[in-house]
């Protein structure tokens, strides 16, 4: 898909992967709308021609406002990058339900509603691309991050099914599965940084800028799935071929959160 001249709406765009995507798509000639909760960070990430949309995307009315303001400014949305998300390091069997509901509201339901809104706009033109930022944890469940993994598994299923449903309308759907990205993601996790739930070394580490480059390349090639770094495919393959061994490896690699 052509990026130059396209209108791109990016959520979670105030830092990390989202801010890097805004910079990369802008560099390739796109017109950008950025949405996130923290206005000061959004403005720092924005270019002079970008549309800045401070919003709490866990609130349905705010999601709809972001969509309609983008249409008012640019007239259409060509590429939607569902990047907004939050982490949760807690055992699945004891996590607080209010935390889990918040997790799903941002990681899955925000992406789903914005996708539904954007697809209606894209169908009228017979083109468009939905980009869902998942995780390697959405291909291989991570212990102590189990519920976070479950939101990313759900996002992966949504992307795959949407791709088949939208094929006849000329709309693509791409799933992005980064490994460990050098951002403040864990610092912003629900309940604060994970206390003790850390890996012994950073598994499949990647920078936000590299991730954004791979995402933009994938959009231009109409890719189905981007795993970055590519070496992370080894973990995905191992989980399919040697599930028991992979379970033991991850259980030993990732420590249990401190209570």
């Amino acid at each position: 898909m052509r990026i130059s001249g396209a209108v791109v709406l990016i959520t979670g765009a105030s830092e990390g992967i989202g801010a890097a995507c805004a910079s990369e798509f802008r560099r390739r000639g796109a017109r950008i709308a950025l949405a996130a909760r923290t206005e000061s960070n959004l403005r720092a990430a924005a270019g002079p021609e970008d549309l800045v949309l401070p919003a709490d995307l866990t609130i349905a009315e705010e999601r709809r406002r972001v969509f309609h303001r983008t249409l008012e400014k640019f007239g259409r949305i060509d590429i939607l990058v569902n990047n907004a998300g939050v982490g949760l390091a807690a055992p699945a069997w004891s996590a607080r339900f209010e935390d889990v509901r918040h997790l799903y509201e941002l990681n899955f339901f925000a992406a789903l509603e914005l996708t539904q809104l954007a697809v209606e706009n894209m169908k009228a033109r017979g083109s468009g691309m939905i980009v869902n930022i998942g995780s390697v944890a959405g291909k291989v469940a991570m212990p102590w991050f189990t519920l976070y993994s479950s939101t990313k598994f759900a996002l992966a299923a949504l992307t795959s099914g949407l791709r088949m449903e939208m094929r006849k309308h000329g709309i693509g759907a791409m799933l992005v599965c980064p490994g460990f990205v050098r951002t403040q993601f864990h610092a912003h996790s629900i309940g604060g940084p994970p206390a003790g739930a850390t890996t012994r070394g950073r598994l499949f580490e990647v920078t936000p800028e590299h991730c954004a480059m791979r995402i933009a390349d994938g959009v231009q090639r109409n890719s189905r799935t981007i795993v970055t770094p590519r070496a992370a495919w080894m973990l995905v393959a191992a989980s399919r071929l040697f599930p028991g061994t992979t379970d033991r490896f991850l259980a030993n690699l990732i420590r249990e959160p401190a209570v």
Side-chain angles (χ1 to χ4, degrees), residues 71-84:
L71 287 189
E72 288 171 10
K73 170 74 173 180
F74 297 115
R76 67 181 194 273
I77 295 172
D78 298 301
I79 302 165
L80 170 64
V81 181
N82 284 313
N83 172 68

Side-chain angles (χ1 to χ4, degrees), residues 85-180:
V86 68
L88 173 64
W93 43 267
S94 64
R96 299 191 312 165
F97 250 82
E98 55 266 41
D99 290 343
V100 178
R101 291 184 191 281
H102 180 83
L103 182 77
Y104 265 87
E105 195 65 53
L106 185 58
N107 291 14
F108 183 73
F109 289 116
L112 174 59
E113 182 165 17
L114 284 169
T115 294
Q116 290 180 336
L117 292 167
V119 161
E120 284 303 310
N121 181 261
M122 293 172 180
K123 281 174 65 179
R125 299 188 314 280
S127 68
M129 172 71 80
I130 305 296
V131 179
N132 288 328
I133 309 301
S135 171
V136 170
K139 293 282 189 180
V140 183
M142 300 293 171
W144 317 113
F145 297 91
T146 305
L147 294 167
Y148 170 77
S149 283
S150 73
T151 66
K152 296 303 185 179
F153 270 86
L155 198 61
L158 171 65
T159 310
S160 294
L162 183 71
R163 185 186 303 115
M164 292 182 277
E165 293 170 352
M166 291 294 102
R167 183 182 180 89
K168 66 181 179 181
H169 298 289
I171 299 169
M174 185 175 82
L175 178 68
V176 182
C177 299
F180 183 89

Side-chain angles (χ1 to χ4, degrees), residues 13 19 28 31 33 41 52 61 78 89 99 108 130 148 176 202 210 224 234 240 252:
R28 300 190 190 204
R31 293 180 288 170
N41 290 353
V52 174
E61 291 78 8
D78 298 301
D99 290 343
F108 183 73
I130 305 296
Y148 170 77
V176 182
R202 298 304 189 189
H210 178 78
R224 294 166 52 90
M234 293 187 298
R240 305 293 189 267
N252 289 326

Side-chain angles (χ1 to χ4, degrees), residues 236-254:
V236 177
S239 72
R240 305 293 189 267
L241 297 171
F242 312 107
T245 301
T246 305
D247 285 355
R248 288 189 294 273
F249 169 74
L250 292 173
N252 289 326
L253 183 75
I254 304 175

